[in-house]
Amino acid sequence: MARAVTTQRKAINTLIAWIVGLLIFFPILWIFILSFHSEGDAIKSPLEVITSTWTFESYATVQERSNYFRHFWNSVVISVGSTVLGLIIAVPSAWAMAFVPGKRTKDVLMWMLSTKMLPPVGVLLPIYLICQNLGLLDTRIALVFILMMINLPIIIWMLYTYFREIPGEILEAARMDGASLREEVIYVLLPMAVPGIASTLLLNIILAWNEAFWTLTLTAAKAAPLTAFIASYSSPEGLFYAKLSAASIMAIAPILIMGWFSQKQLVRGLTFGAVK
């Protein structure tokens, strides 16, 4: 029998949820406010900032100084390309681990996850030299492959978890009906795991979109994504708070909009198989 929840309890829970939500969202809100003020107003006290004149000056200056759409396109290519390439590799890998398990499956999964514990700077020099020798510095191809390899353990882990929730008897029935391995994966497994695949896709696009270490290290101008676009407004002369805030809002707006419209699919995928 379900436990009754009083109106007072609901009100307290709602209030706590709003307070936590506002605390988490406040930095983005403050950056948004600063982006609509001049540099002189941005360094004033919080109350003076809010009551001062709002203007699009910072956005206009940022667009004049930088080619926003070129950085935006680089981010789209790098994040989507690395995620799709990772899914192509991860789907058969996760299928093999979920439905043809071996004694070392858990060991392999833990080994893959352990690679995420290594600080990126630990492999910076060899990766930089490889890109330099292959002529791939400041190219989107290099970043696509590097971010794919960085996020591949997460993709495989997530897909493995979702695939484990699918009854193996369904795949066995497909084999008995004459389905080949390719048909089994494409026409039976993938349609049943669409929520999990969608959440994996969205989450890894966000991770690749926000990656800063490798994008700042391996790019200069041609392949620089929006993370490098933001960093360009931090200089030895100091921080340009208003312009930096405007650049940050322009960089995070696309991913926020995508997350807003796909939140139901993301939650559905992340809770896939949670309720038996």
Side-chain angles (χ1 to χ4, degrees), residues 159 162-163 166 188-200 272:
L159 291 181
Y162 299 134
F163 289 174
I166 298 174
V188 181
L189 178 66
L190 294 184
M192 296 183 67
V194 164
I197 294 173
S199 64
T200 302
F272 180 65

Side-chain angles (χ1 to χ4, degrees), residues 150-167:
I150 290 173
N151 293 327
L152 190 59
I154 296 177
I155 300 176
I156 294 178
W157 259 90
M158 292 183 69
L159 291 181
Y160 170 78
T161 303
Y162 299 134
F163 289 174
R164 289 286 292 175
E165 299 296 332
I166 298 174

Side-chain angles (χ1 to χ4, degrees), residues 74-92 140-156 158-159 196-211 255 258:
N74 286 339
S75 287
V76 170
V77 172
I78 292 167
S79 58
V80 175
S82 62
T83 302
V84 171
L85 185 60
L87 282 175
I88 293 173
I89 298 172
V91 167
R140 292 186 295 224
I141 295 176
L143 288 176
V144 165
F145 277 94
I146 290 171
L147 295 187
M148 180 273 293
M149 290 186 289
I150 290 173
N151 293 327
L152 190 59
I154 296 177
I155 300 176
I156 294 178
M158 292 183 69
L159 291 181
I197 294 173
S199 64
T200 302
L201 179 74
L202 294 171
L203 186 60
N204 282 274
I205 286 177
I206 293 172
L207 290 174
W209 187 279
N210 293 327
E211 174 61 39
I255 208 71
M258 186 192 77

Side-chain angles (χ1 to χ4, degrees), residues 43-111:
I43 60 175
K44 295 180 180 178
S45 65
L47 184 60
E48 290 178 313
V49 170
I50 295 174
T51 56
S52 60
T53 304
W54 289 48
T55 176
F56 286 93
E57 174 188 338
S58 296
Y59 286 95
T61 304
V62 167
Q63 184 57 31
E64 288 175 4
R65 283 183 51 182
S66 308
N67 189 343
Y68 168 77
F69 292 103
R70 177 169 58 82
H71 294 291
F72 169 77
W73 178 244
N74 286 339
S75 287
V76 170
V77 172
I78 292 167
S79 58
V80 175
S82 62
T83 302
V84 171
L85 185 60
L87 282 175
I88 293 173
I89 298 172
V91 167
S93 301
W95 172 87
M97 293 180 182
F99 298 107
V100 192
K103 294 182 180 179
R104 297 293 183 179
T105 297
K106 291 185 179 179
D107 294 336
V108 173
L109 287 169
M110 286 304 301
W111 170 76

